[in-house]
Amino acid sequence: MEALFSLVVGVLTACGIYLLLRGRTFPVIVGLALLGYAVNLFLFSAGGLHTHAAAVIGESISPADPLPQALVLTAIVIGFAMTAFVVILAIRARSELGSDHVDGQQGEAGDAR
């Protein structure tokens, strides 16, 4: 279970970094979202992956740690706000610059990528 979980976090991180390095704004936004999901899963796994642990202290021998769950909930809210801000920023940059390239420059013939 831990190997599959770490593989998923690694793939999400790699895909997020790859998309962050693209030249257009939409892949950058998707890359930020994927990287945020990878960080959320990593924070969630910091408390340990217990399949049958109780959420209430005293109900089982090893209860689930509530701190990583609280960190993940906070990170989800912050990630949603950041994604909304970046989408609005990309829309504004597209309308102001007339291009959706990250650096604001586009070749004469257009980019076929």
Side-chain angles (χ1 to χ4, degrees), residues 2-26:
E2 288 86 5
L4 178 65
F5 201 81
S6 63
L7 180 70
V8 168
V9 170
V11 167
L12 280 175
T13 303
C15 291
I17 290 173
Y18 173 75
L19 288 174
L20 276 176
L21 297 175
R22 303 297 297 164
R24 302 222 182 240
T25 54
F26 182 70

Side-chain angles (χ1 to χ4, degrees), residues 6 11 25 42 58 61 78 83 87 109-110:
S6 63
V11 167
T25 54
F42 177 72
I61 297 171
I78 292 171
T83 303
V87 166

Side-chain angles (χ1 to χ4, degrees), residues 9 11-41 75-90 102:
V9 170
V11 167
L12 280 175
T13 303
C15 291
I17 290 173
Y18 173 75
L19 288 174
L20 276 176
L21 297 175
R22 303 297 297 164
R24 302 222 182 240
T25 54
F26 182 70
V28 170
I29 293 170
V30 173
L32 277 173
L34 286 178
L35 202 56
Y37 296 148
V39 169
N40 288 343
L41 287 175
I76 288 170
V77 171
I78 292 171
F80 179 74
M82 181 188 65
T83 303
F85 176 73
V86 171
V87 166
I88 297 300
L89 192 65
V102 176

